Amino acid sequence: MSVSESLYIGWDVGGWNCDNNPTSRDALVVLDETLRLVGTPWRGNLRAALNESLTSRDLINSLLGLCQYAASGNERVVMAIDTPLALPTALLALAKGDAVKALGRSQDNPYLYRETERWLFQRGVTPLSPIKDMIGSQATKGMHLLARFAPHIAACGQWQSAEGALSVVEGYPTPAKRSAAFAALRHQVTMPSKFASMLHQPTPKQQDIQDAWHCALLAWSLEHAKETVAWPPADMPAAEGWIFVPCDSLSVQ
């Protein structure tokens, strides 16, 4: 079956049991190749969709259905997820009894932060740690999606499903919000007027939808505005992944 279109999904991740959390739930926003908003932004809990999907195609169809878009069954999806998608290799080694000899300040601690996070710290961005910042539920939810539906490392920070229809990366909305490049990009998105305030000026309960929108913009940028995104250095450990952010959100190094 030939691919009919490419879609870009942003997922802001809530905890496994975020159903009744008023301020933090799963949120999805979908864009197409022309930067048109597809369907309707969605907010809720993806646990059922993750449990009920048997294949990556099932998951794609389910996510698009939640956003009130009727899937054709042959969409290609790039998905940017706002949660850590891997754990520090030093932490995994520690679980097997292999300890680091000496530890210093928090942001340099390899148990708490991956190399990609330490790289961002050095450039003025302050990512959260799945170990010390109480986002373990969200992190395991994102890692669960990878393990079940996109387990193959195509390149550092890029995971794919077996058939290649689903590609997944890790995004970070906060730096994108202060990016001039993304500010211009936001105004290129076409959408029904009823969604404009939700995305551009969200209420506290709509913040996760705006974060999902920035993730969708990031997913789109990886293919259509590559020069605006910071890519992993050659020596970045692929097993730890990579957090994609706009280049102009980084301080000069």
Side-chain angles (χ1 to χ4, degrees), residues 59-89:
L59 181 66
I60 290 171
N61 293 345
S62 180
L63 298 181
L64 295 177
L66 289 172
C67 293
Q68 299 182 33
Y69 179 80
S72 67
N74 59 343
E75 293 85 358
R76 170 184 170 273
V77 165
V78 180
M79 189 175 191
I81 301 177
D82 178 23
T83 196
L85 295 180
L87 292 172
T89 54

Side-chain angles (χ1 to χ4, degrees), residues 94-211:
L94 178 65
K96 298 178 180 179
D98 186 7
V100 173
K101 292 182 179 179
L103 297 164
R105 59 180 182 168
S106 176
Q107 67 188 50
D108 295 327
N109 189 321
Y111 296 149
L112 305 181
Y113 294 103
R114 296 169 290 164
E115 184 66 27
T116 179
E117 288 146 349
R118 301 198 296 277
W119 189 92
L120 288 174
F121 271 123
Q122 295 168 6
R123 290 158 179 81
V125 177
T126 55
L128 298 179
S129 162
I131 309 305
K132 68 184 287 282
D133 290 315
M134 295 172 55
I135 56 169
S137 181
Q138 292 91 329
T140 58
K141 204 172 186 180
M143 293 176 200
H144 177 86
L145 181 145
L146 290 187
R148 288 200 61 200
F149 305 109
H152 303 287
I153 298 177
C156 181
Q158 301 175 64
W159 289 268
Q160 285 187 345
S161 59
E163 79 292 346
L166 176 64
S167 298
V168 179
V169 301
E170 181 177 340
Y172 191 17
T174 300
K177 293 177 183 180
R178 61 173 181 262
S179 161
F182 271 56
L185 201 58
R186 288 193 294 268
H187 291 289
Q188 295 179 41
V189 177
T190 58
M191 67 182 75
S193 59
K194 63 182 178 180
F195 297 132
S197 62
M198 175 192 301
L199 294 176
H200 288 283
Q201 297 176 315
T203 66
K205 290 186 178 181
Q206 295 169 337
Q207 188 62 56
D208 40 18
I209 292 177
Q210 190 192 55
D211 286 349

